[in-house]
Amino acid sequence: MSDKDRINDEKVEIIISGQKATAGDPSVVAVPEDPTAPSKEVSSKRQSLSDIFTIFCAGFALISDGYQNNLMTMTNVVLKKEYPKQYTSAVSTQVSNALLVGEILGQIVIGLTCDYLGRKVAIITTTAMIVVGGILATASSGSTPLGLFWMMTVSRGIVGFGTGGEYPASSASASEAANEHTLSQRGPIFILVTNLPLAFGGPLAVIVFLIVISAAGQNHLSTVWRVCFGIGCLLPLTVFYFRIKMLNSKLYRRGAIKRKVPYGLVIRYYWKSLIGTCGAWFLYDFVTFPNGVFSGTIISSVVPSGSIIKTAEYQLLLGSIALPGVLLGAYLLRYMSRKNIMMLGFGGYLVFGLIIGCAYDKITKIIPLFVIFYGLMQSSGNLGPGDMLGLLSSESYATAVRGTCYGVSAALGKTGAALGTEAFTPIQNHLGKRWTFIVAAICGIVGILVTFVFVKDVKGDDLAREDEAFRAYLVAHGWVGQMGEDDLAALAAEGVPPASFDEAGVLKEEGPVTAMDNRDNANQDEKGGFEKGI
């Protein structure tokens, strides 16, 4: 029996008003007494609760990611004090980059996993990796300081695999859940449960550090960094139970491709968007990550006597100034397009990077002023690419490849972060500290150009529309296979009318007429047309 015959035999058919429809058709009412239920197996109430918990759990989990991303900021300062000779700049870069290398691997592997095996499997895996890696980092030891640093490096790499995997897994699931639960507010909600927790992780890491060092004292620095590492294990555990109970989204159960993914067609269809999201994310992380990791070192170098407590206090001020940019970016979605907001943020790198870089010698003599301008530069990053890259990467690609494309984009970003971290110290040593900010300004210019040319100007439409257009494109180019899983599985070709394609088999400009469009037309008078996100 051929695969096509087997799929046809297994296909669930629903008879409504004398008409036959497949379970994958979004216009079908599967349960008359529960019209909004996605299928007979899953009630509307259960799906709705799962969507709500998915959104909130993404936020709590990504706080952990933000915490881990910023944990080394003050840890680098502490380890330098504890091991002044052994903890060289090379070792500091090694330990800091371990998280990045792990994140790159995690973003690609978990990005593929969450498309092939489901959002739930991927999210549970990432949570476990963060906890295991965090425990090992907390227990780091060695017969020599170098041995301790190597165990810390490996442990941080494991943590990085988990935190990197959270990017595509949590972000894709949160975007899909918000799309189902509150479409018109999908953009702001996505930012509030993704980039806001990530950005809040910076101040949180400093607050935890200040509390711990106040309790332990500056004579017990080993206790300080171990407790800070250990707290990072607790954050993801707070939502582990709810993640076990979650469902994959309706969009995923209807649009997943679990076998024979046509990656050649995916690249042909999304090549321009991939250049845009990958390139912009590379530039953003090239600037923001080293400036985050080494901001404590930078501030310490301009603080008299290099006081740890005073450095941490200024670091907290820096993170607090950067945080409102996230909220401002979410608010601006009411008035500006995602693409324009991202270019505005890159413009902030240009303006504030040049101000700090050109006036570095004078501005560093007034430490509060230096920290304020430094914070405004980071706030611009949060407002623009920090908010919009994740949102655009979750909206620009179809559900079948959302995790993969998001993961690849984020992985290119973390590659930029790793390169930026490696280049940070040589730039300081050979060109001067001012040039780290001038390079940020240059990246801002390039970021504006990349965004303008390559980034898709997404409007916030229902993600199901992109899924339908992508499905029609695959069918038009000869792909035959099954999409969806479990209760919503169906053949890709079903529901795609021949009129959607020209004689050469290419998708027409007006796009396919889908079951989603039919449903919208039927409800247009009642709802006033199709709802769009902000």
Side-chain angles (χ1 to χ4, degrees):
M1 180 182 292
S2 66
D3 286 345
K4 185 174 181 180
D5 292 335
R6 180 181 58 78
I7 292 170
N8 280 329
D9 289 341
E10 294 177 355
K11 181 177 58 184
V12 180
E13 294 181 348
I14 304 170
I15 308 298
I16 298 177
S17 301
Q19 295 182 341
K20 182 184 292 186
T22 66
D25 188 341
S27 66
V28 170
V29 178
V31 185
E33 60 271 20
D34 190 3
T36 58
S39 68
K40 290 181 177 179
E41 290 81 5
V42 180
S43 68
S44 59
K45 181 179 180 180
R46 185 185 175 197
Q47 184 68 58
S48 179
L49 283 174
S50 177
D51 289 341
I52 293 172
F53 278 115
T54 297
I55 293 169
F56 281 103
C57 286
F60 279 102
L62 288 171
I63 288 177
S64 172
D65 286 23
Y67 181 86
Q68 295 289 353
N69 285 338
N70 291 275
L71 189 54
M72 291 306 298
T73 300
M74 291 308 303
T75 302
N76 280 329
V77 177
V78 168
L79 291 174
K80 185 64 178 176
K81 290 283 186 181
E82 188 176 5
Y83 303 99
K85 294 182 179 179
Q86 297 91 341
Y87 199 71
T88 62
S89 60
V91 174
S92 174
T93 301
Q94 169 191 304
V95 177
S96 299
N97 265 355
L99 186 80
L100 292 175
V101 173
E103 285 186 332
I104 292 170
L105 294 174
Q107 284 162 344
I108 294 174
V109 173
I110 299 299
L112 290 166
T113 300
C114 75
D115 283 341
Y116 273 106
L117 301 180
R119 314 308 193 213
K120 180 177 178 178
V121 172
I123 284 173
I124 291 174
T125 302
T126 59
T127 304
M129 295 293 285
I130 294 171
V131 173
V132 171
I135 292 172
L136 292 174
T138 303
S140 292
S141 62
S143 56
T144 65
L146 185 60
L148 182 150
F149 298 147
W150 270 110
M151 182 173 178
M152 189 182 296
T153 300
V154 174
S155 302
R156 291 288 289 169
I158 296 172
V159 172
F161 188 93
T163 57
E166 284 282 356
Y167 279 74
S170 285
S171 298
S173 60
S175 180
E176 291 161 8
N179 187 80
E180 296 294 339
H181 194 72
T182 174
L183 174 60
S184 63
Q185 300 293 327
R186 186 184 66 220
I189 286 177
F190 179 86
I191 291 171
L192 293 179
V193 299
T194 54
N195 197 43
L196 180 60
L198 285 169
F200 179 69
L204 177 63
V206 179
I207 291 170
V208 169
F209 171 81
L210 285 170
I211 293 172
V212 174
I213 197 170
S214 297
Q218 297 190 39
N219 294 324
H220 301 87
L221 295 180
S222 179
T223 301
V224 173
W225 64 260
R226 290 182 190 277
V227 171
C228 290
F229 278 164
I231 290 174
C233 304
L234 301 177
L235 296 173
L237 287 175
T238 59
V239 294
F240 192 64
Y241 172 80
F242 299 103
R243 292 185 140 188
I244 292 175
K245 294 295 184 181
M246 69 174 280
L247 297 171
N248 286 323
S249 67
K250 287 190 288 184
L251 284 168
Y252 179 80
R253 299 206 309 278
R254 182 177 293 126
I257 300 178
K258 296 200 165 190
R259 292 192 306 164
K260 301 178 181 178
V261 180
Y263 287 113
L265 291 176
V266 172
I267 293 172
R268 285 174 59 186
Y269 192 67
Y270 286 123
W271 68 269
K272 188 174 181 180
S273 293
L274 281 169
I275 292 175
T277 54
C278 289
W281 219 323
F282 180 95
L283 293 164
Y284 170 62
D285 277 2
F286 185 87
V287 173
T288 193
F289 201 91
N291 274 289
V293 170
F294 294 117
S295 59
T297 305
I298 294 171
I299 294 173
S300 178
S301 69
V302 299
V303 170
S305 75
S307 167
I308 293 180
I309 298 295
K310 186 63 68 175
T311 299
E313 290 171 349
Y314 276 122
Q315 184 66 40
L316 181 58
L317 174 62
L318 176 67
S320 300
I321 295 172
L323 197 58
V326 180
L327 301 175
L328 182 58
Y331 178 75
L332 287 177
L333 283 171
R334 294 176 177 270
Y335 308 104
M336 298 173 65
S337 70
R338 290 146 166 77
K339 184 172 182 176
N340 288 337
I341 295 173
M342 192 153 87
M343 289 191 289
L344 178 64
F346 274 124
Y349 276 169
L350 172 61
V351 173
F352 294 113
L354 284 178
I355 290 175
I356 299 172
C358 295
Y360 185 82
D361 292 335
K362 294 182 179 180
I363 201 171
T364 51
K365 293 178 181 178
I366 310 171
I367 299 173
L369 183 64
F370 168 69
V371 172
I372 288 171
F373 274 101
Y374 197 178
L376 288 173
M377 187 183 84
Q378 293 192 337
S379 187
S380 298
N382 283 334
L383 177 153
D387 276 357
M388 298 304 136
L389 276 169
L391 181 59
L392 286 165
S393 295
S394 70
E395 294 178 336
S396 298
Y397 307 107
T399 300
V401 292
R402 181 169 294 121
T404 301
C405 293
Y406 193 111
V408 169
S409 300
L412 261 292
K414 285 299 178 282
T415 303
L419 293 176
T421 304
E422 288 286 349
F424 192 87
T425 301
I427 289 173
Q428 278 193 331
N429 293 339
H430 293 93
L431 298 177
K433 293 181 179 180
R434 69 170 68 242
W435 274 93
T436 58
F437 296 97
I438 295 174
V439 168
I442 295 171
C443 288
I445 296 174
V446 180
I448 292 172
L449 294 175
V450 170
T451 303
F452 181 77
V453 175
F454 294 105
V455 171
K456 184 178 179 181
D457 196 11
V458 178
K459 302 297 184 184
D461 292 338
D462 192 327
L463 297 178
R465 289 188 178 278
E466 180 64 30
D467 289 357
E468 290 288 304
F470 179 66
R471 179 168 66 95
Y473 175 84
L474 296 183
V475 173
H477 288 79
W479 185 77
V480 177
Q482 185 178 13
M483 299 184 76
E485 66 168 6
D486 302 333
D487 54 324
L488 298 179
L491 285 173
E494 292 170 351
V496 182
S500 301
F501 318 114
D502 60 22
E503 294 179 357
V506 178
L507 195 66
K508 290 184 177 179
E509 289 186 3
E510 64 269 19
V513 179
T514 67
M516 182 66 70
D517 295 317
N518 293 333
R519 182 185 68 182
D520 296 336
N521 292 335
N523 296 330
Q524 190 168 6
D525 292 336
E526 178 182 350
K527 295 185 178 181
F530 187 75
E531 291 181 315
K532 292 188 176 181
I534 292 178

